[in-house]
Structure formats: structure tokens, C-alpha cells
Amino acid sequence: MGLKIYNTLTRKKQDFSPLNDNQVTMYVCGVTLYDELHLGHARAAVVFDIIRRYLEYKGYQVIYVTNFTDVDDKMIQRAKELKITVFELAERFIEEYFDQMEKLGVKRATYHPRATEHIKEMIELIEILKNKGIAYCVDGDVFFRVRKFPGYGKLSGQSLKELSAGVRIDVDEKKEEPFDFALWKKAKEGEPSWDSPWGKGRPGWHIECSAMAMKYLGESIDIHGGGKDLIFPHHENEIAQSEASTGKEFAHFWVHNGLVTIDNQKMAKSTGNFITLREALEKYDGEVIRYYLLSAHYRSPLNYTKDSLQEASASMERVYNTLESIDEVTFSIKKEANLHKVYPEIESLYKKFFQSMDDDFNTPSALAAIFELVRKANLILEKPSDKNSKLILYEIAEKIRKMGGILGLFQGKKKKLDEKAKDLIQILIDVRNILRQEKRWDLADTIRERLQKLGIHLKDEKDKTSWRISIT
RNA sequence: GGCGGUGUAGCCAAGUGGUUAAGGCGGAGGAUUGCAAAUCCUCUAUUCCCCGGUUCGAAUCCGGGCGCCGCCUCCA
């Protein structure tokens, strides 16, 4: 079975194979560092992290690049408001970005290039376009002459004519035609600027991605990704710039994740309609947020409601409960279990997981396979365990952890308590059990409830009381 | 107005031609428990926005309608 990926360019799911042997080059548009991240950014990051991990699981050597836009209009404005430099603003949000991504379990990219560190490459690219007569300079600004690129509109599925009909922006009088876009912007007073053949200025937004993608990954890349809102104009323009300059196909697969909505309205900073990642992380473990973001197919819209994360948390608890129960039961047979016998029922669900992932990264379906295994395990756990059932349980836990690993879930990075805290809990349990023997239920229940509020769940079993920590 | 997408139970969400429409959350009843929690069992869409059509057979294909969303301006 082979991997199929939906390609925005062809509007079809296509068999995936890399341009070069075993190597996959992947560029994903990153964030502009002018404000906090929200769940929408988190979704894009997690989605492409999954794609990257799955390709790696498949044995490909993935070179993954995602950029930081560290200079643009909004950043300049924000820096002014905060009375700091654009550079300081960028530094602040980069640090926060890595910190939050780590909590979400997003692996670092191979490269995280910053726009301002690639001005030279951008200027070179603009020069090529200018020499070809595709770019033109007007009074310190440089524009891309869209009419000169015949393929313009192929990604967004619109012709130049259709686009022109919908123009509702104030057209810059310097442009020859409304849809020409800026490659280089003339410096304004008090703004960061760089020297160029056309005078002081700064790069337009689209050029950075073309320049950096080509620098790190070559003229043609396997996968280019980003949110659906970037299809037009950003990615359309990237294609125009890149392909006009090289004459080669820029990206073989264009992959776009659906947007996160709240009350069915797009989550966006510009509208004030958003949940920041920080807020979400204050209330829930990063793994819960990650799970939530994977609970819908990556191309579908994902509507956030106030209960979404609670629901995700409850679902994850189910898996963790089972894994812990299995660990308790199979503790003694670990060594033997490593022989890995084959159990057809387990194998078929294991297969379902990979078939789902192969089908354009269908994570909801893949997660369902995990839950079906959880159910099987719970059924076995109901009965008194014998050696054979322990072996099966061990195998199930192994498989769940392996599948979870690909999704970056269920790896048990749970809150650890130090020995003293554990001893304290044990004291409370011992005291409570004395109270229970004396049938002083009100006090016993109070202890249980208060521990519960701290995320420590007590389980009264036949002859002992055990405890565990919840993930949220 | 143009382009793209979407409409599946109380909620979230798979499924895109064929025996019982995944999975999760929530809810109801039962088992278990001192009571809980966890877990198990049963129930919770005779039906997939509506109307036509194609077909032996459609949630799944086609036509029409309605609703919602995104893009066309910065945006993951």
C-alpha cells in the first residue's frame, strides 16, 4: 500500500513519490512574529509535523523547512507600539514559538530560516526576474509583472480575468496592472531597510519563501504547505516568482490545512476571533491540544467550541487508563512478551491505522483504530488474567504506543511526582483506608475529592487503593 | 459577482456504489462499588440538508435547490 496525498494543484489525491530517491523536501510557510500564536497556527504546525513524522516513518529522509517572517508592516507597527525594535519583537516571539511547539510535541524543523537573514538571496532572485523582463522597478519599488507568467492562477483555480473582476483593493498607481505584486518595497522613514540595487527598502512578503525554499531545498521541492488561507495570493505568487525565475516546477505537491473556526467563523488575529495557544496551554496539556487538532481530518475546517478540549482530554484519558492497566498486569512478563507473537485481530487494526494514514493522513480514522484496540484490551482486562492474555495485552500496548508515536501521542510524558509527594499521597491513602474501615465515609470521600481536584484519582480495589495522575 | 469547499446522531467526527453507517464525547439503564472513579453490557442516526434522476442496489454518482464556511485585502 502506498501513500496518497491530496494535491491542491491538481485537486486530486495522488500517489506520493519523492523527486529524488529517498529524500523528501518540504517547505511550510511559518508565522509572522508580531503577536501570540493561536490555535490556528498550532493546527498548521501539528498537521505538518504529522506529515513529516509519517514520511520519516515510511523511511524517507525528510528535509523540513519552515520560516519565520521577521519583518513586515504589522511587525513594524507592533514594535512601535511596544517601543522596541522589530528585531527584539521577533526574538521575543521566536522564543515563545519554540517553547509552545515543544509543549505540543512538534519536532524542530531541519531549518528555521528568518527572512531578514536572507535578504541577499531575495535580491538575487529579484535580479533574475528583472533581467528576464518579468519584474519592473518604479521609483524604488519592484513589482512582478503577472501578465508575463502564463501559469498565473493555476493553484487557486482562477484566471487573471476572474481575479481582476473581483478587485476591491486600492490599486497602487505605480503598478502596471492591479494584480502585479511587490517584490521589493521602497523604504519609508523610520522603518528597517536594506540596501539594494533599487535603493534602500525591504522585501515583499512572497519573495522570502521562494528564496528560502530554493536555498535550502533546491529549485523544485516535493511538498509545499501552509494554511488554506495562503493559497491566494501568497502561494500563487510564490509559484509565479519561483517558476518564472527557474523555468522549473516549484513544488510537486501543494498541501493545505483547513482553518480553525470559532462558532463557525475563521479564527484570525485580525478579527479578534481567536483562542491563543497560551490560553489553551494554561488549561490543558499540550498533548490534549495536539489530540484535539488531530481529531478532524487535516483538510476539514475544525470548529472550536468551549467543550472541545475537555472532550479531547476525556478521550485521551481513556487510552491512558488502558495503557496503565495493561502495564500493571503485564509488568511481570515483559521479557517474554518481547517475542511478539502475531494476533490477527490486533494486526488487522494495526493495519487499519496505516491504511488510514496512507489515505491522505486520515488521522480521525487512524485514531479510531487505536480506540478499537483499547476496547479489545479493556475486554481482556475484565477477566482474570492468564499468561496468554497477558501476552496479548502486552502486544496491544506495544502497538498503541507505536501508532501513538507516529502521531506524537500516548507516549506517557505524564507529570512526574517526586518520591516525597508519592509518600504523602500514600499516607493520605493509608489514613483514608482506616477511616473507611471505621465506615467514616464522609471524611474518606472528602480526601478522595480533594485529591481528585489536584488531578490525583484514587481507585478502591478489592484489597488495596491505587492512584494515578490525570493528564490534564 | 468569481473561485474553492462543506452539510452524517445531543455534540465532535470517519466513511464516497453493495451484508449490521467507524470511533470519541455526552446521556439513559444494568453489572461492579460503602458511595464513587475506572471498566464491562444494553440503549442513544431504519438513516446520511431537500427534491428529482442514473443503477438490481447510493450517504456515496448526476442534475436542481437550500444552508454554512473559506479565498478574491494582511492571515496557519
Side-chain angles (χ1 to χ4, degrees):
Chain A
M1 57 187 176
L3 174 62
K4 284 186 192 299
I5 303 180
Y6 181 87
N7 189 350
T8 306
L9 194 58
T10 57
R11 290 173 192 79
K12 280 196 282 263
K13 278 185 204 171
Q14 291 175 287
D15 291 322
F16 178 78
S17 61
L19 298 167
N20 292 308
D21 309 321
N22 205 37
Q23 178 183 284
V24 177
T25 50
M26 195 166 149
Y27 185 94
V28 175
C29 290
V31 293
T32 302
L33 303 161
Y34 82 101
D35 207 344
E36 289 195 47
L37 300 177
H38 61 237
L39 282 181
H41 300 114
R43 185 180 195 193
V46 167
V47 162
F48 288 101
D49 183 59
I50 291 293
I51 292 177
R52 183 252 191 106
R53 282 170 187 253
Y54 194 61
L55 289 166
E56 283 174 347
Y57 162 80
K58 287 258 173 193
Y60 296 115
Q61 186 217 340
V62 179
I63 307 178
Y64 180 39
V65 178
T66 187
N67 67 299
F68 289 118
T69 299
D70 59 355
V71 62
D72 90 319
D73 291 346
K74 281 181 182 166
M75 286 188 69
I76 291 167
Q77 199 194 323
R78 194 75 209 279
K80 257 184 206 159
E81 286 167 18
L82 296 172
K83 298 192 169 61
I84 56 176
T85 65
V86 167
F87 181 79
E88 285 163 342
L89 185 70
E91 287 295 303
R92 178 188 296 186
F93 286 121
I94 284 177
E95 195 180 322
E96 206 171 279
Y97 175 91
F98 282 127
D99 183 49
Q100 296 182 335
M101 286 302 132
E102 193 181 330
K103 287 179 179 155
L104 288 178
V106 172
K107 289 165 70 174
R108 291 246 178 168
T110 318
Y111 301 101
H112 284 275
R114 296 171 60 160
T116 57
E117 288 169 2
H118 298 80
I119 302 289
K120 183 171 87 60
E121 287 82 355
M122 293 186 231
I123 289 173
E124 283 167 10
L125 187 56
I126 296 171
E127 282 284 24
I128 293 171
L129 291 169
K130 210 156 161 280
N131 291 339
K132 290 192 169 186
I134 294 162
Y136 59 97
C137 176
V138 184
D139 183 30
D141 283 321
V142 183
F143 298 101
F144 186 97
R145 192 174 270 130
V146 168
R147 189 163 295 281
K148 281 276 190 175
F149 182 69
Y152 198 79
K154 66 182 176 183
L155 183 69
S156 55
Q158 305 210 83
S159 67
L160 215 47
K161 211 174 177 180
E162 288 161 347
L163 285 166
S164 303
V167 168
R168 56 179 208 228
I169 45 170
D170 293 332
V171 178
D172 187 334
E173 285 167 7
K174 291 180 184 172
K175 291 181 186 176
E176 290 176 2
E177 299 201 51
F179 267 92
D180 289 353
F181 57 89
L183 295 167
W184 187 262
K185 295 177 169 182
K186 185 181 176 177
K188 290 185 194 139
E189 193 57 38
E191 288 184 359
S193 63
W194 289 262
D195 288 321
S196 82
W198 322 284
K200 280 195 173 289
R202 60 189 167 91
W205 174 38
H206 315 294
I207 196 72
E208 65 176 83
C209 291
S210 293
M212 295 191 284
M214 288 198 253
K215 172 174 177 180
Y216 292 97
L217 302 173
E219 293 180 337
S220 292
I221 65 180
D222 287 297
I223 296 173
H224 192 124
K228 272 190 165 144
D229 52 351
L230 295 182
I231 294 172
F232 191 90
H234 185 51
H235 287 163
E236 198 72 72
N237 292 352
E238 276 189 53
I239 290 176
Q241 295 161 348
S242 309
E243 298 190 357
S245 72
T246 64
K248 294 177 187 160
E249 180 181 57
F250 179 44
H252 198 48
F253 277 84
W254 284 88
V255 178
H256 293 98
N257 63 277
L259 305 181
V260 179
T261 58
I262 301 183
D263 298 329
N264 288 314
Q265 298 295 316
K266 176 181 169 181
M267 184 176 289
K269 286 189 280 200
S270 50
T271 57
N273 184 229
F274 59 90
I275 303 287
T276 63
L277 234 196
R278 176 194 303 283
E279 289 172 72
L281 283 167
E282 275 166 11
K283 287 189 182 163
Y284 294 94
D285 192 282
E287 191 179 355
V288 170
I289 297 166
R290 187 178 176 96
Y291 176 92
Y292 167 63
L293 295 170
L294 295 176
S295 67
H297 183 88
Y298 80 89
R299 281 190 285 119
S300 307
L302 181 62
N303 189 42
Y304 177 87
T305 67
K306 64 177 171 44
D307 299 327
S308 294
L309 292 176
Q310 187 51 50
E311 202 177 283
S313 172
S315 303
M316 289 199 66
E317 283 285 344
R318 181 170 165 84
V319 178
Y320 271 119
N321 281 334
T322 299
L323 287 177
E324 285 193 9
S325 301
I326 292 177
D327 286 348
E328 283 166 26
V329 171
T330 61
F331 188 73
S332 58
I333 55 121
K334 239 175 181 166
K335 277 213 175 94
E336 251 176 287
N338 277 326
L339 295 169
H340 289 305
K341 280 207 318 201
V342 172
Y343 304 95
E345 276 190 294
I346 300 174
E347 289 302 319
S348 78
L349 287 170
Y350 192 56
K351 205 173 151 195
K352 173 181 169 176
F353 176 90
F354 290 102
Q355 280 171 342
S356 301
M357 290 301 287
D358 271 343
D359 183 15
D360 197 28
F361 313 105
N362 191 337
T363 51
S365 176
L367 285 168
I370 291 178
F371 279 99
E372 286 177 70
L373 274 178
V374 164
R375 184 180 168 74
K376 276 199 193 309
N378 285 336
L379 269 166
I380 297 168
L381 283 163
E382 277 291 292
K383 296 174 199 124
S385 56
D386 57 29
K387 191 155 176 194
N388 191 46
S389 67
K390 283 181 184 177
L391 287 169
I392 294 172
L393 286 170
Y394 189 85
E395 184 65 19
I396 289 177
E398 285 280 285
K399 289 274 197 279
I400 290 175
R401 290 203 165 94
K402 189 157 180 197
M403 294 182 280
I406 291 168
L407 300 177
L409 297 172
F410 311 131
Q411 300 306 294
K413 307 168 296 187
K414 299 187 70 173
K415 290 163 192 157
K416 291 269 192 296
L417 292 185
D418 65 26
E419 290 305 313
K420 279 231 160 60
K422 287 182 186 170
D423 289 346
L424 280 169
I425 290 169
Q426 196 52 52
I427 289 168
L428 283 167
I429 288 173
D430 290 345
V431 169
R432 177 170 169 273
N433 280 339
I434 292 167
L435 292 169
R436 290 175 67 215
Q437 278 163 23
E438 295 172 0
K439 299 201 191 300
R440 292 166 69 179
W441 308 121
D442 53 337
L443 267 180
D445 290 351
T446 301
I447 291 172
R448 185 173 62 198
E449 279 157 24
R450 294 193 61 176
L451 284 171
Q452 173 88 16
K453 279 189 185 143
L454 296 174
I456 296 157
H457 299 279
L458 298 190
K459 289 192 279 186
D460 291 326
E461 290 155 5
K462 281 254 153 40
D463 49 352
K464 67 175 196 316
T465 298
S466 62
W467 61 274
R468 56 179 202 80
I469 306 181
S470 72
I471 51 166
T472 49

